[in-house]
C-alpha cells in the first residue's frame, strides 16, 4: 500500500534522504504459527479486535532500533481531528522523536494497548476507513512537505491554505497563461505589475473565498482591523 509514497514530491524527498519511512508488519510479532493478530471481542459483537501483545512487541522492537524515543500516533476515527496546526506540531515532534504511526484494522485495537502505548489518537476526518494505512499516508504527506528542502520553493508551504502565514484563511485564486481562456480573462489587477494592489486583491479574495466556502474558519482566523472591515463589507454584500 505504501508504494504510493514513492511518487512525486514525497518520492523525491525519500530518495534524497530528507525523511525516512519504514514499516513493520504486526504479523511478524504474532506468537503463534498462524501469525494471528486478532481475536473475538469480549462481550460479543461483530468483527475482530487486534490483540495488544503483538502490537506492543512491535512498538518495543521499533524503539529498540532507534536512538530517539517513540511518539506513537494511533490513526483512528476516534482521534483528534487533524488540522494544519496539528500537522505543524507533528513536524516539530520529529526533531525529538520518531513518529510511529499505528494503523489499525478490523473493529479496532484492544483498549489496553491504546492506554499503555499510544501517545495520541489522530483522525483525518469524520468518516470511517477500512484501515489506518491511508490515514497514515495522509499524515506522512502533510508532515513531509513542511520539512526543509522537500518543496522546491521554501516559502510555498507558508502560503498554503490554513497556514499561519495565511492567517488561517483559504488561499486566493491563481491564474496562469493564457490571459484569456474560453472568454474568461485573468483579473486585470494581476497584469498591472502593481504589487501593492495585487497583495490587496489577493487578501480580499482570500477573505471572500473563506467566507463563501469555509465560513467556520473565520472564527479562528487572525485578522487585522482592515481585514475585519473588508469582511464586514463582504458580509453586508451577501445579506443584500
Ligand atoms: N482509521 C479508520 N478511519 C480513520 C480516520 N477517519 N482517520 C484516521 N484513521 C482512521
Amino acid at each position: 500500500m505504501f508504494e504510493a509514497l514513492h511518487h512525486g514530491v514525497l518520492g523525491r524527498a525519500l530518495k534524497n534522504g530528507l525523511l525516512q519511512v519504514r514499516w513493520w508488519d504486526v504479523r511478524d510479532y504474532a506468537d503463534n504459527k498462524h501469525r494471528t493478530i486478532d481475536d473475538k471481542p469480549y462481550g460479543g459483537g461483530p468483527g475482530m479486535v487486534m490483540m495488544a501483545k503483538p502490537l506492543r512487541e512491535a512498538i518495543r522492537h521499533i524503539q529498540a532500533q532507534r536512538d530517539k524515543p517513540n511518539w506513537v500516533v494511533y490513526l483512528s476515527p476516534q482521534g483528534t481531528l487533524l488540522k494544519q496546526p496539528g500537522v505543524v506540531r507533528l513536524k516539530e515532534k520529529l526533531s525529538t522523536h520518531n513518529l510511529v504511526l499505528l494503523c489499525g484494522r478490523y473493529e479496532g485495537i484492544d483498549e489496553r494497548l491504546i492506554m499503555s502505548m499510544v501517545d495520541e489518537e489522530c483522525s483525518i476526518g469524520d468518516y470511517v476507513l477500512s484501515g489506518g494505512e491511508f490515514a497514515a499516508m495522509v499524515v506522512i504527506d502533510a508532515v513531509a512537505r513542511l520539512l526543509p528542502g522537500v518543496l522546491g520553493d521554501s516559502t510555498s508551504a507558508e502560503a498554503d491554505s490554513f497556514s499561519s502565514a495565511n492567517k488561517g484563511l483559504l488561499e486566493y485564486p491563481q491564474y496562469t497563461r493564457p490571459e484569456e481562456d474560453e472568454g474568461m480573462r485573468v483579473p486585470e489587477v494581476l497584469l498591472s505589475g502593481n504589487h501593492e494592489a495585487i497583495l490587496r486583491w489577493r487578501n480580499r479574495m482570500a477573505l471572500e473565498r473563506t467566507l463563501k466556502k469555509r465560513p467556520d474558519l473565520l472564527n479562528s482566523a487572525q485578522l487585522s482591523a482592515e481585514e475585519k472591515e473588508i469582511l464586514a463589507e463582504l458580509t453586508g454584500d451577501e445579506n443584500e
Side-chain angles (χ1 to χ4, degrees):
M1 279 180 99
F2 290 93
E3 157 61 19
L5 297 179
H6 293 282
H7 297 267
V9 166
L10 215 57
R12 199 173 52 230
L14 287 168
K15 208 188 283 170
N16 295 341
L18 299 174
L19 79 151
Q20 253 193 12
V21 181
R22 292 193 52 189
W23 40 92
W24 288 264
D25 185 348
V26 197
R27 286 191 189 281
D28 294 341
Y29 302 87
D31 61 359
N32 56 82
K33 72 170 190 297
H34 301 294
R35 307 196 348 127
T36 310
I37 50 162
D38 59 342
D39 209 332
K40 288 177 289 196
Y42 276 117
M48 300 290 270
V49 177
M50 287 178 85
M51 295 186 288
K53 192 166 173 234
L55 283 167
R56 184 177 297 116
E57 299 276 317
I59 294 168
R60 286 190 176 145
H61 182 229
I62 295 167
Q63 184 61 84
Q65 297 170 9
R66 307 268 130 174
D67 44 11
K68 288 185 205 162
N70 282 342
W71 184 261
V72 181
V73 181
Y74 172 37
L75 284 318
S76 122
Q78 293 172 22
T80 307
L81 207 52
L82 185 67
K83 300 194 175 175
Q84 195 62 22
V87 175
V88 172
R89 190 176 47 75
L90 286 176
K91 183 212 85 172
E92 282 162 2
K93 265 271 172 258
L94 271 181
S95 55
T96 50
H97 291 77
N98 303 303
L99 288 187
V100 178
L101 303 176
L102 177 56
C103 304
R105 285 251 143 185
Y106 318 102
E107 292 305 306
I109 292 181
D110 190 306
E111 190 65 23
R112 291 165 295 184
L113 186 279
I114 299 171
M115 275 163 39
S116 59
M117 305 292 283
V118 167
D119 295 300
E120 67 177 283
E121 220 172 318
C122 170
S123 165
I124 63 158
D126 288 340
Y127 38 78
V128 180
L129 304 169
S130 54
E133 289 87 350
F134 285 119
M137 283 189 264
V138 165
V139 171
I140 293 168
D141 185 285
V143 168
R145 60 196 296 293
L146 300 181
L147 294 172
V150 170
L151 295 184
D153 176 355
S154 67
T155 59
S156 54
E158 278 169 30
D160 284 344
S161 291
F162 314 115
S163 71
S164 53
N166 209 23
K167 301 169 181 154
L169 298 174
L170 297 182
E171 228 186 304
Y172 51 78
Q174 299 275 21
Y175 297 85
T176 186
R177 289 201 286 183
E179 273 183 39
E180 189 177 319
D181 175 65
E182 300 224 319
M184 294 173 282
R185 281 192 57 73
V186 172
E188 261 344 287
V189 63
L190 298 179
L191 309 172
S192 69
N194 181 342
H195 294 296
E196 215 175 287
I198 292 172
L199 272 179
R200 257 197 322 256
W201 180 84
R202 285 182 164 165
N203 201 214
R204 190 182 176 90
M205 292 309 286
L207 285 163
E208 198 174 312
R209 272 193 155 185
T210 310
L211 181 63
K212 212 182 253 170
K213 298 186 183 184
R214 289 291 306 276
D216 56 299
L217 294 177
L218 293 169
N219 297 327
S220 48
Q222 304 112 53
L223 302 181
S224 68
E226 193 189 336
E227 285 161 340
K228 282 180 188 157
E229 233 168 79
I230 296 173
L231 199 57
E233 193 187 306
L234 289 170
T235 324
D237 288 352
E238 272 206 341
N239 294 337
E240 271 169 23

